[in-house]
Amino acid sequence: MHTIYLNPETWDLVLDTDGNIAYAKDPCSKAQDVASAIRLFKGELYYDTTKGIPHFDDVLGQRTSFALYQKHLQDAALTVSGVKSAMAGITLENSRAVSGAITFTDEHGKTYEIGL
């Protein structure tokens, strides 16, 4: 599976050596797709507003549990084709910032980790 490669630092398009838009291949493409899925706000994807994490409904400005947020992250990761399982580990820093990682396993049984 291929996807357009995004620079991990800027989340912007990258050009290949020939000046064309660069593509990512597995496993990088799958990891990038999981990262995109967990960054998507519900309603933000104009052609399918049901996808994404309901940040405005359940997370931002709400007293929510880590377990619920972890479930949202895991469910979002599982929407990516080829991802068979996902586990989110998050921690709260300075009572305002959340950090952690998503660990997922693909259809080949290989495990990868993406930082939040």
Side-chain angles (χ1 to χ4, degrees), residues 32-94:
Q32 182 176 289
D33 289 345
V34 168
S36 294
I38 65 173
R39 291 177 180 207
L40 182 66
F41 279 56
K42 187 173 184 179
E44 185 179 29
L45 189 61
Y46 74 94
Y47 58 86
D48 189 350
T49 57
T50 63
K51 289 188 175 185
I53 296 176
H55 287 286
F56 295 121
D57 299 332
D58 292 348
V59 181
L60 298 175
Q62 309 294 324
R63 291 190 76 56
T64 188
S65 69
F66 277 157
L68 178 60
Y69 187 52
Q70 285 177 318
K71 172 107 172 75
H72 286 314
L73 292 171
Q74 291 165 190
D75 289 347
L78 290 172
T79 64
V80 175
S81 177
V83 174
K84 297 303 176 192
S85 67
M87 179 58 108
I90 58 174
T91 58
L92 184 64
E93 298 176 5
N94 302 328

